[in-house]
Amino acid sequence: MHSTRVHKVINQIISFCRRNDLWHGEDIPTATQLGLKSFCCIYYCLFPLSFAIGAMTSETIDESVFLAELSILTAVLTVKNWMFLWKQKSITGLLDRVCVFSIRNDEDFSFFNGKVENFIKFVNVFACGTIICSLGCSAFPFIGKTKAFVMDFAFPLDWRNSEIGFWMAYIFFTSENVLTFLALSFSVIIWYLLLQCSLRYKILGMEIINLGRITGGGKVKMLEKEQQTIYYRDLVASIQAHLHLRESIDELESFLSTLFLLQLTTSGLCICGSTYCLAFDVSVNTVERIIHVYTLFNSIAELFMITYLGNEILLSSSSLTYSLFESEWIRQIHSSMKCIIIFGEYLKLPHEMLIGKLYPLTLETFTRILKSSYSLFNILKNTKQ
């Protein structure tokens, strides 16, 4: 028997927030912690606002498209920042309910650890790309003879002609980039929770296949009655585990439904904007091109990860019926057979996460959004021509 825990990388994110008073350790936050959370949320709201004003006042359509895309992207990040800072109890509760459980088989435990470690490798690559992009944006004003930002966002002071205005704008832009890491950390936690849900369904399927069997040791001879008793006990445990898992995923779906609906409705616009900037090469230097590539990668990655992991939950839950069929259900007692039939009928309905009771969190939704982004891109292209 093995017990799983929340991965150390996720725990490090939580520990960092608690050390810096962004999360509170006790049940009731202090006045300092409440003030810091409120300041971070209100201050970050200025970021999408500055991009939106910049898009409306820009003299060129290319710059307006880019700033409008950034305004939409940072607006979603603002919602994530708010949820990450103010929904601490819900996040920690979901991590405990979803990520802490027991695995009986050694092979199943190795499979689980391998999948989680592969995910952490992807997270490390994502984090490195984000840090490089952020450093590039912060260093850009000092590249070249004239001081200029990588995007022409709105700022109340004239930073082009005033040294004080420039440094104020630079501090604003850099500090907002730092706060963006909070929203991206929340994205990682969301992906981790969805991955855990899909893996738990897969582990449950493996355990259903081994109902009534003694795993982990050599061959053990058992009487038929004893084997039937063990099978019934394991079957009841699997039913309880399945019910608990469905309740946990439903709770996760309820918690993230509004955020996912916002992402699904805005990601197409962000992907279209990044594609437009790259296709018509609106950048004037390499750093700007890197920013466009990163925003495109980030928009697609955010959308793909939630739809892919939601699709994995659907597929892994739909395979449980066949896992039950693969178990030693023949020659079981009458009470076990009744439970098997009822449980099998219940498993025929896969667990599909619905966002806003309209959009299934599957790869089909991902392809639909990409198609709509391409259609919108064609409209912009025709307008430019």
Side-chain angles (χ1 to χ4, degrees):
M1 184 73 71
H2 303 275
S3 296
T4 63
R5 292 290 182 268
V6 179
H7 197 275
K8 61 181 180 181
V9 172
I10 306 299
N11 281 327
Q12 287 172 357
I13 295 174
I14 295 174
S15 298
F16 173 83
C17 293
R18 284 177 173 162
R19 285 197 303 268
N20 291 276
D21 285 338
L22 296 173
W23 277 22
H24 54 274
E26 293 77 19
D27 293 335
I28 302 176
T30 62
T32 303
Q33 292 168 338
L34 287 174
L36 183 59
K37 290 182 179 183
S38 301
F39 172 77
C40 289
C41 291
I42 296 173
Y43 183 66
Y44 197 79
C45 289
L46 300 176
F47 211 26
L49 182 63
S50 64
F51 288 136
I53 296 175
M56 290 185 289
T57 58
S58 179
E59 298 178 354
T60 62
I61 184 65
D62 294 340
E63 189 70 17
S64 295
V65 170
F66 180 49
L67 290 175
E69 173 204 350
L70 291 180
S71 177
I72 295 171
L73 183 62
T74 51
V76 177
L77 294 176
T78 302
V79 176
K80 287 188 176 181
N81 265 341
W82 177 81
M83 292 183 66
F84 184 61
L85 293 176
W86 292 100
K87 299 293 183 178
Q88 172 187 338
K89 287 186 177 180
S90 298
I91 295 172
T92 53
L94 286 168
L95 285 171
D96 291 336
R97 283 175 60 85
V98 174
C99 304
V100 180
F101 62 102
S102 298
I103 301 177
R104 288 180 290 181
N105 197 341
D106 295 340
E107 295 180 358
D108 298 348
F109 187 67
S110 299
F111 167 81
F112 173 83
N113 284 335
K115 291 292 185 179
V116 172
E117 291 303 325
N118 288 335
F119 168 76
I120 295 300
K121 291 178 182 178
F122 169 79
V123 168
N124 291 333
V125 174
F126 180 77
C128 290
T130 303
I131 292 172
I132 292 172
C133 183
S134 179
L135 291 176
C137 290
S138 299
F140 180 81
F142 308 104
I143 300 175
K145 297 180 180 179
T146 59
K147 293 180 180 180
F149 292 97
V150 71
M151 67 281 294
D152 193 14
F153 61 92
F155 195 73
L157 299 180
D158 185 12
W159 56 267
R160 295 177 183 85
N161 302 315
S162 170
E163 187 72 16
I164 296 177
F166 168 78
W167 284 108
M168 292 292 290
Y170 181 78
I171 293 172
F172 168 77
F173 182 72
T174 304
S175 59
E176 295 285 14
N177 275 337
V178 172
L179 288 178
T180 300
F181 283 97
L182 294 178
L184 296 180
S185 298
F186 185 44
S187 295
V188 171
I189 293 177
I190 292 172
W191 300 345
Y192 180 72
L193 285 168
L194 292 174
L195 175 69
Q196 289 282 329
C197 292
S198 65
L199 289 179
R200 286 194 63 172
Y201 267 127
K202 292 179 180 179
I203 295 298
L204 180 59
M206 296 175 182
E207 292 182 348
I208 289 176
I209 293 175
N210 292 320
L211 290 176
R213 299 172 184 172
I214 303 297
T215 58
K219 292 185 178 180
V220 179
K221 293 184 178 180
M222 292 185 297
L223 297 175
E224 184 176 356
K225 187 174 182 180
E226 185 180 359
Q227 192 273 340
Q228 291 172 347
T229 303
I230 296 175
Y231 184 96
Y232 182 77
R233 181 198 63 193
D234 293 344
L235 177 62
V236 172
S238 296
I239 294 173
Q240 292 174 346
H242 182 265
L243 291 174
H244 174 74
L245 181 55
R246 284 194 71 98
E247 290 175 359
S248 300
I249 297 178
D250 287 340
E251 183 182 349
L252 178 63
E253 178 184 337
S254 176
F255 176 65
L256 298 174
S257 180
T258 303
L259 175 61
F260 283 169
L261 182 61
L262 180 63
Q263 283 190 258
L264 293 179
T265 52
T266 58
S267 55
L269 297 175
C270 295
I271 294 172
C272 173
S274 298
T275 306
Y276 176 89
C277 294
L278 290 172
F280 293 102
D281 197 17
V282 301
S283 310
V284 296
N285 52 60
T286 304
V287 176
E288 286 191 36
R289 293 187 183 95
I290 293 175
I291 301 301
H292 294 322
V293 171
Y294 175 76
T295 53
L296 177 62
F297 167 76
N298 180 75
S299 300
I300 294 178
E302 287 273 4
L303 178 62
F304 175 76
M305 286 300 294
I306 61 174
T307 52
Y308 170 76
L309 293 172
N311 195 75
E312 285 295 300
I313 293 174
L314 175 66
L315 294 177
S316 56
S317 62
S318 63
S319 65
L320 293 180
T321 304
Y322 192 75
S323 298
L324 185 61
F325 174 76
E326 288 184 291
S327 67
E328 297 288 343
W329 58 272
I330 302 176
R331 295 189 301 273
Q332 298 300 322
I333 58 177
H334 182 68
S335 58
S336 296
M337 292 299 293
K338 287 176 61 178
C339 291
I340 292 170
I341 294 172
I342 297 173
F343 189 37
E345 289 295 321
Y346 183 68
L347 293 178
K348 286 183 179 179
L349 183 64
H351 198 160
E352 183 180 58
M353 298 182 69
L354 286 176
I355 306 305
K357 298 182 180 180
L358 294 173
Y359 305 104
L361 204 63
T362 60
L363 288 176
E364 183 180 358
T365 302
F366 174 72
T367 55
R368 286 180 180 177
I369 293 176
L370 290 184
K371 289 179 181 178
S372 64
S373 299
Y374 180 71
S375 300
L376 185 58
F377 168 74
N378 284 330
I379 295 174
L380 287 176
K381 182 179 69 173
N382 295 331
T383 302
K384 184 177 178 63
Q385 291 175 349

